[in-house]
């Protein structure tokens, strides 16, 4: 749900994969997903599991009774053989399947403050960003009452900001002016997040009701005291409670081409790709997600190795390489 919320922050990004628009009297809905690296149509009926003796949906649902979210949830469950098979995991699985774009996971403890610069760059590029909270609840939800953050929970990242303001007047200063700040200036790094539950928010510094907000800053960043799941927190607090960040390199109007092959064990495949236009490219290799198999099957990911050579002006030059035992491996290049 966090991945869907992050994608749907830009409406057109989610509309593009929903083939059935509006209520379908036929009782069937069609959605496109990038399954194992190949775009496929997924069709489901309009019957949804409900809580016993209730009309409430048991799984994915919208608080305003819109059906599209439940359709996406049922399609995702169908792809993987049932709702039970899609619990837990990282949001990049969904981000990849719903956008076709390659994703990367950054771990807070490994990246440190460098991660803020990565997130700010990604936000500026309008990439899709999510964040996962740490297991500070030890598997329980009791701690959420104290700080407003649920443990082992995925959140959408809606904004990454550096703000500067006059300490006395609270007057916001533009980001471009940060190199020439007067001595009485406070600089803060903030992250804006959304809880996909639509409620439950951070209660510390820079929360909706925090006294750190001035009226000008509230207006500048559109901060409202509502329990709608949207909140801000400082970068220092974010580092304390969030363990990972997922960045999906989605770009508007991108082109996608794929081929499905069957290879033998330890067989190396060679492909020649011709780029007709300059630009940024992601070369991706995919294999079946382990969610497709029961745990008793003992299915493990094979190492995916990519070695890329580029021919420029009749000469072969190194383009990049990567080795990873995962559902996807990719290399980014910009042959300009």
């Amino acid at each position: 749900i966090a991945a869907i919320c992050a994608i749907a922050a830009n409406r057109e990004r989610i509309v593009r994969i929903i083939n059935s628009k509006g209520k379908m009297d036929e009782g069937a809905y069609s959605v496109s997903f990038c399954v194992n690296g190949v775009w496929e149509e997924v069709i489901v009926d309009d019957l949804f599991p409900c809580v016993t003796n209730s009309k409430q949906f048991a799984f994915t649902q919208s608080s305003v009774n819109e059906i599209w979210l439940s359709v996406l949830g049922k399609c995702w469950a169908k792809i993987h053989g049932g709702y039970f098979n899609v619990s837990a995991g990282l949001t990049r699985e969904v981000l990849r399947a719903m956008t076709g774009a390659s994703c990367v996971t950054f771990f807070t403890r490994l990246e440190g403050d460098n991660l803020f610069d990565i997130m700010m760059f990604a936000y500026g590029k309008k990439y899709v960003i999510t964040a996962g909270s740490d297991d500070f609840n030890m598997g329980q939800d009791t701690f959420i009452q104290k700080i407003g953050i649920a443990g082992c929970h995925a959140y959408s990242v809606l904004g990454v900001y550096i703000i500067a303001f006059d300490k006395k007047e609270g007057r916001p200063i533009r980001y471009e002016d940060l190199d020439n700040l007067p001595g009485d200036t406070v600089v803060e790094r903030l992250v804006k997040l959304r809880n996909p539950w639509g409620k439950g928010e951070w209660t510390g510094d820079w929360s909706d009701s925090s006294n750190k907000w001035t009226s000008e800053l509230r207006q500048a960043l559109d901060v409202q005291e509502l329990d709608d799941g949207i909140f801000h927190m400082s970068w220092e607090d974010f580092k304390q409670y969030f363990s990972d960040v997922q960045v999906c390199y989605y770009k508007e109007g991108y082109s996608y081409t794929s081929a499905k092959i069957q290879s033998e064990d330890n067989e190396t495949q060679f492909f020649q790709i011709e780029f007709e236009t300059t630009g940024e490219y992601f070369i991706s290799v995919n294999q079946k997600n382990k969610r497709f198999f029961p745990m008793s099957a003992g299915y493990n990911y094979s190492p995916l190795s990519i070695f890329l050579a580029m021919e420029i002006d009749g000469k072969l030059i190194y383009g990049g390489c990567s080795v990873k035992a995962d559902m996807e491996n990719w290399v980014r290049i910009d042959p300009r």
Side-chain angles (χ1 to χ4, degrees), residues 270-283 306-321 331-336:
F270 296 90
F271 300 92
Q272 183 173 324
I273 305 170
E274 182 176 347
F275 300 112
E276 296 181 350
T277 58
T278 58
E280 187 178 37
Y281 290 86
F282 290 80
I283 311 300
I306 301 176
F307 187 91
L308 193 66
M310 296 189 296
E311 183 180 354
I312 300 179
D313 297 330
K315 296 181 179 180
L316 285 179
I317 64 172
Y318 172 75
C321 70
V331 174
R332 177 171 52 179
I333 61 171
D334 192 349
R336 281 183 281 194

Side-chain angles (χ1 to χ4, degrees), residues 87-301:
S87 62
L90 296 174
T91 55
R92 64 183 176 88
E93 291 183 62
V94 187
L95 294 172
R96 165 68 170 154
M98 289 191 177
T99 66
S102 295
C103 307
V104 64
T105 302
F106 298 99
F107 293 100
T108 310
R109 289 180 178 83
L110 294 178
E111 297 293 341
D113 287 336
N114 183 52
L115 181 55
F116 183 84
D117 296 330
I118 293 172
M119 293 172 64
M120 194 165 185
F121 175 81
Y123 176 65
K125 288 285 189 178
K126 298 182 179 180
Y127 296 148
V128 186
I129 314 171
T130 62
S133 60
D134 212 341
D135 187 18
F136 47 80
N137 287 350
M138 302 301 289
Q140 304 296 319
D141 286 335
T142 54
F143 202 54
I144 190 176
Q145 305 298 329
K146 299 180 180 179
I147 63 170
I149 301 294
C152 290
H153 187 45
Y155 290 76
S156 307
V157 177
L158 302 183
V160 185
Y161 311 110
I162 294 178
I163 60 170
F165 55 94
D166 185 277
K167 193 172 184 180
K168 295 180 179 178
E169 302 177 6
R171 179 179 60 85
I173 299 174
R174 293 180 307 165
Y175 172 69
E176 303 91 84
D177 298 335
L178 290 179
D179 291 334
N180 299 295
L181 296 176
D184 231 2
T185 304
V186 176
V187 177
E188 288 281 358
R189 294 179 292 179
L190 300 181
V191 181
K192 183 178 182 180
L193 301 114
R194 172 188 282 154
N195 186 338
W197 292 341
K199 60 181 180 179
E201 301 180 9
W202 166 247
T203 59
D205 288 346
W206 299 104
S207 62
D208 288 359
S209 59
S210 172
N211 58 12
K212 285 187 171 290
W213 292 106
T214 65
S215 57
E216 284 188 283
L217 283 173
R218 283 184 178 277
Q219 184 175 6
L221 294 182
D222 189 27
V223 177
Q224 304 178 47
E225 291 192 50
L226 300 172
D227 186 16
D228 55 3
I230 299 175
F231 59 91
H232 294 75
M233 65 191 308
S234 73
W235 172 243
E236 295 304 318
D237 286 326
F238 180 91
K239 286 192 300 181
Q240 181 178 354
Y241 293 107
F242 284 84
S243 60
D244 61 84
V245 171
Q246 322 280 318
V247 176
C248 174
Y249 295 103
Y250 180 86
K251 291 190 175 184
E252 311 297 337
Y254 77 98
S255 297
Y256 190 97
T257 301
S258 64
K260 185 184 292 187
I261 64 167
Q262 180 72 39
S263 60
E264 301 299 328
D265 291 344
N266 300 316
E267 179 185 4
T268 301
Q269 298 281 350
F270 296 90
F271 300 92
Q272 183 173 324
I273 305 170
E274 182 176 347
F275 300 112
E276 296 181 350
T277 58
T278 58
E280 187 178 37
Y281 290 86
F282 290 80
I283 311 300
S284 171
V285 180
N286 303 262
Q287 59 186 319
K288 288 185 178 180
N289 193 312
K290 64 170 56 178
R291 294 183 188 273
F292 288 11
F293 303 89
M295 294 184 64
S296 59
Y299 174 79
N300 292 312
Y301 290 128

Side-chain angles (χ1 to χ4, degrees), residues 46-99:
D46 59 357
L47 302 177
F48 300 95
C50 292
V51 178
T52 305
N53 300 322
S54 170
K55 294 183 179 180
Q56 180 183 357
F57 286 178
F59 300 104
T60 318
Q61 57 187 297
S62 166
S63 60
V64 292
N65 295 323
E66 293 182 347
I67 198 172
W68 65 273
L69 191 61
S70 300
V71 169
L72 288 177
K74 186 169 183 177
C75 287
W76 186 242
K78 179 180 179 179
I79 291 171
H80 297 90
Y83 286 96
F84 178 80
N85 295 338
V86 296
S87 62
L90 296 174
T91 55
R92 64 183 176 88
E93 291 183 62
V94 187
L95 294 172
R96 165 68 170 154
M98 289 191 177
T99 66

